[in-house]
Amino acid sequence: MPLQYLFERNREWSERMHAEDPEFFKKLSLLQSPEYLWIGCSDSRVPANQITGLLPGEVFVHRNVANLVVHSDLNCLSVLQYAVDVLRVKHILIVGHYGCGGVRAVYDNLRLGLIDNWLRHIQNLKQKHWPLLSAMPDAPSGINRLCELNVIEQVYNVANTTILAEAWERGQPLAVHGWIYGLDNGLVHDLHVSIRSYAEVQGIYERALADLTQAPPAGHGAR
């Protein structure tokens, strides 16, 4: 049975966690109270808990190809609404990564099939910022700059949802942050696009884009 290996690894992990803390699974089963919602890429190399060093139960996670937040995506919006209104998270982390395959496909004008419709959102972003992207010294730098732009855009999209507007209106402490992860060194980088109120949205978004035009070429990262 090819999958038997996974069951064996699961048993090893369960035994190890129980040995470290005999009450771990009991406590985990009784309560979910994370302070963080992670919206990241589906890429198997970008696992939220391992990257942040958080235990199960400490971060609520939604992942999709190229970490997009689309206003017509009821799956993502449902996760967002549950995290904000029910779990009452305090921080929403939009986390992209350098060398993202979805972003690279758009940059290189590749045709991949059905997913091209999903990636059209990044295609629009590429067209919008092409003068900045075309000024990069090489294709890897251009791809990674588009990865950064994509994170900033998704922070803007999250901050403009009715979910966030209503939370801020009722005085709920809540912030949205834009991060990007380097596959080549395992480090997360802050893109300085943290928004804590609806009044901040436009100004911080525009400042983050302006800062990016002055920034050196993005690190290539492992692809």
Side-chain angles (χ1 to χ4, degrees):
M1 181 179 178
L3 297 181
Q4 187 60 37
Y5 171 73
L6 299 182
F7 287 105
E8 293 171 0
R9 292 296 299 270
N10 169 248
R11 280 193 295 272
E12 292 171 2
W13 173 77
S14 175
E15 292 169 0
R16 184 171 65 254
M17 297 303 295
H18 184 76
E20 293 175 1
D21 180 2
E23 297 295 311
F24 176 79
F25 290 108
K26 181 179 180 180
K27 291 183 291 186
L28 192 64
S29 66
L30 293 176
L31 183 65
Q32 177 180 217
S33 56
E35 292 192 4
Y36 311 97
L37 167 62
W38 171 291
I39 299 178
C41 183
S42 297
D43 193 301
S44 60
R45 301 167 295 177
V46 192
N49 286 80
Q50 287 91 331
I51 288 172
T52 56
L54 296 174
L55 293 172
E58 293 184 324
V59 57
F60 198 55
V61 178
H62 176 78
R63 296 168 70 178
N64 61 50
V65 174
N67 45 272
L68 293 175
V69 179
V70 180
H71 292 297
S72 58
D73 181 3
L74 295 183
N75 182 4
C76 183
L77 293 181
S78 296
V79 171
L80 180 62
Q81 186 269 328
Y82 186 81
V84 172
D85 294 348
V86 180
L87 297 177
R88 312 286 284 191
V89 299
K90 293 182 173 63
H91 300 277
I92 299 169
L93 313 172
I94 313 299
V95 187
H97 66 97
Y98 290 124
C100 178
V103 173
R104 188 188 321 121
V106 169
Y107 190 91
D108 291 339
N109 296 310
L110 302 180
R111 298 295 296 274
L112 301 178
L114 179 63
I115 196 174
D116 295 338
N117 298 280
W118 177 253
L119 295 176
R120 180 70 222 184
H121 301 287
I122 302 177
Q123 186 70 245
N124 294 341
L125 198 61
K126 172 189 170 183
Q127 292 170 351
K128 177 181 177 181
H129 295 287
W130 184 244
L132 172 60
L133 296 171
S134 62
M136 293 294 101
D138 51 39
S141 296
I143 292 167
N144 286 333
R145 183 50 40 93
L146 185 54
C147 291
E148 295 171 335
L149 287 166
N150 183 45
V151 169
I152 293 171
E153 194 72 14
Q154 305 322 309
V155 170
Y156 183 74
N157 288 346
V158 169
N160 275 296
T161 61
T162 57
I163 299 163
L164 270 288
E166 291 171 0
W168 282 326
E169 186 176 348
R170 61 179 175 257
Q172 184 173 336
L174 183 61
V176 191
H177 312 275
W179 294 356
I180 194 157
Y181 174 70
L183 293 169
D184 60 341
N185 58 17
L187 296 177
V188 173
H189 306 276
D190 187 355
L191 290 176
H192 304 293
V193 59
S194 293
I195 299 173
R196 294 174 175 80
S197 72
Y198 190 74
E200 295 179 348
V201 174
Q202 196 64 35
I204 289 178
Y205 170 71
E206 292 177 358
R207 185 162 66 249
L209 291 178
D211 289 345
L212 212 56
T213 64
Q214 306 299 321
H220 289 184
R223 294 181 292 280

